[in-house]
Amino acid sequence: MSLDRLNLERFARIDLCHAPTPLEFMPRLTEHLGGPRLWVKRDDCTGTALGGNKARKLEFLLGEALRQGANHVVTLGALQSNHVRQTAGAAARLGLACTVILEHRHPDPDADYLRNGNMLLYLLFGANMVFRPGGTNMLAALHEVGAELSAQGQRPYLIPTGGSNPVGTLGYVKAAQELLQQAKDKNFVLDQIVVASGSAGTQAGLVVGLAAEASTAVVQGFAVSQVEHLQHQRVAALAAATASFIGGHPSELPPQAVRVNADYLGKGYSIPSEAMVDAVQLVARLEGLLLDPVYTGKAMAGLIDWARTGRFRRDENVVFIHTGGQAGLFGFCDTLSQPRPAITTNKAA
Ligand SMILES: *Cc1c(COP(=O)(O)O)cnc(C)c1O
């Protein structure tokens, strides 16, 4: 068996996504930066619970949960976790109980961070919330809570950080196929894919999916939660595990398939940076497109800087995966509403 005989139909999956998500050209941002040709894959529009990349992973994860007869989903994340929001929303939609374990990771949270944005939405979806201090071993906490629920006669299904195990990662193996088909339909050569890289399932799934289709497109991850070599290991390990899981062999993934840059991480996970605020503002004003402060804002800061410093060819086609997260904007109101210098757009100049 090898990756090129990939058949995802054999895995349990439920429909949660509005797919295919749109693939849109960004003419004003492209012009402003003077190239490359920039496209956005609108995975912020996957539908369930305001959308985002986790819905693709949850199609496979919750497919497996239902097949196992689970009646209670348990997952974890930071207080403003998009993954937790989408899991809580999907669980509500399927009539499953949901417990979420929330880690206080932000060093200096304000009232919005604690109550608005995703935090507000967990409440609306009726999730049970359990809190843990920053630095807790969250995977251990997940298993503890799971064991408690089992002892109470529940049938829990545990979802790790970001839904990033080989089952969840299948969502982005499938997304890679979808994206390649769209580029073909729109008649362009897909040179690079840029994506925020956190728990790594999105990047790893794309890497495996492209390898399975023998695509030459490059996936560039911008790390948003940890330093470069650790993030590189995380992506590579998950890509290898996913390749094995679907019956391929990790040797089918060339070592250079995993590319990670952490220059735009700033001071750490979810801590705002100036470059992030600039990127969120620029893309909002030029394309009417909302990014998020924790993931896509930092990845876009990387893309913009690389375009400005000539690290892409001007004529290449670069697809930015919009992984969602806009609910988080409302958890960072103060940071994002600070006055910023006006942007000189080409039209205004
Ligand atoms: C979770 C998340 C990511 C990161 O995806 P991973 O698969 O965890 O690497 C990127 N963007 C947004 C908005 C997210 O919520």
Side-chain angles (χ1 to χ4, degrees):
M1 188 69 186
S2 72
L3 282 183
D4 63 6
R5 284 196 276 140
L6 186 56
N7 165 20
L8 296 178
E9 299 297 318
R10 64 205 150 107
F11 297 99
R13 185 177 73 79
I14 49 163
D15 271 324
L16 284 176
C17 291
H18 300 171
T21 57
L23 175 62
E24 298 171 341
F25 187 57
M26 295 192 284
R28 289 187 12 99
L29 185 61
T30 298
E31 190 188 351
H32 180 77
L33 296 171
R37 291 173 54 77
L38 293 171
W39 302 78
V40 57
K41 172 73 170 154
R42 298 293 305 273
D43 274 13
D44 57 319
C45 299
T46 49
T48 297
L50 293 182
N53 61 342
K54 304 311 179 307
R56 291 195 187 267
K57 304 178 186 183
L58 288 164
E59 287 200 334
F60 286 96
L61 290 163
L62 295 179
E64 184 182 74
L66 292 183
R67 193 173 59 185
Q68 291 177 3
N71 64 358
H72 199 133
V73 179
V74 189
T75 198
L76 53 86
L79 268 65
Q80 289 290 341
S81 164
N82 304 305
H83 162 72
V84 166
R85 179 220 335 135
Q86 290 166 86
T87 303
R93 184 169 167 182
L94 297 172
L96 302 169
C98 183
T99 295
V100 302
I101 313 168
L102 302 171
E103 181 187 4
H104 281 280
R105 279 179 76 169
H106 196 293
D108 184 24
D110 65 10
D112 284 321
Y113 186 87
L114 295 170
R115 293 199 47 214
N116 206 334
N118 286 301
M119 283 292 284
L120 169 65
L121 303 183
Y122 312 154
L123 274 177
L124 294 182
F125 290 129
N128 310 314
M129 294 190 253
V130 201
F131 294 90
R132 293 287 183 273
T136 298
N137 179 340
M138 291 297 282
L139 199 59
L142 180 70
H143 287 282
E144 277 159 32
V145 170
E148 281 164 26
L149 289 169
S150 297
Q152 293 162 20
Q154 299 276 306
R155 295 185 305 281
Y157 180 81
L158 310 185
I159 301 182
T161 311
S164 286
N165 57 17
V167 175
T169 299
L170 293 178
Y172 271 88
V173 177
K174 189 167 188 298
Q177 297 175 331
E178 180 181 307
L179 176 57
L180 287 171
Q181 184 60 46
Q182 284 177 310
K184 202 168 158 193
D185 293 344
K186 289 185 189 290
N187 241 324
F188 72 87
V189 176
L190 176 54
D191 296 298
Q192 296 219 35
I193 297 172
V194 169
V195 67
S197 191
S199 66
T202 307
Q203 185 175 357
L206 291 170
V207 164
V208 173
L210 293 180
E213 300 288 327
S215 163
T216 54
V218 164
V219 185
Q220 178 62 52
F222 283 103
V224 297
S225 62
Q226 59 178 359
V227 297
E228 213 158 280
H229 73 280
L230 291 179
Q231 186 62 15
H232 189 279
Q233 278 169 22
R234 183 184 279 174
V235 178
L238 183 56
T242 304
S244 303
F245 180 66
I246 60 186
H249 193 274
S251 67
E252 294 177 76
L253 303 172
Q256 70 275 17
V258 176
R259 303 183 187 212
V260 173
N261 174 286
D263 292 348
Y264 307 89
L265 166 62
K267 293 208 176 76
Y269 177 73
S270 83
I271 303 176
S273 65
E274 294 257 314
M276 176 279 287
V277 179
D278 287 344
V280 169
Q281 191 186 66
L282 186 73
V283 173
R285 294 186 183 188
L286 288 178
E287 294 289 345
L289 183 69
L290 295 172
L291 301 176
D292 86 285
V294 178
Y295 298 92
T296 52
K298 286 185 178 174
M300 183 58 88
L303 187 160
I304 289 169
D305 192 48
W306 280 26
R308 287 187 172 142
T309 53
R311 290 188 65 173
F312 297 110
R313 288 195 331 269
R314 281 174 185 265
D315 61 345
E316 77 186 314
N317 287 291
V318 177
V319 173
F320 182 80
I321 310 286
H322 193 329
T323 41
Q326 294 102 327
L329 289 171
F330 306 100
F332 288 82
C333 186
D334 278 355
T335 305
L336 294 165
S337 55
Q338 273 163 31
R340 314 281 304 170
I343 294 162
T344 320
T345 66
N346 287 355
K347 283 228 171 75

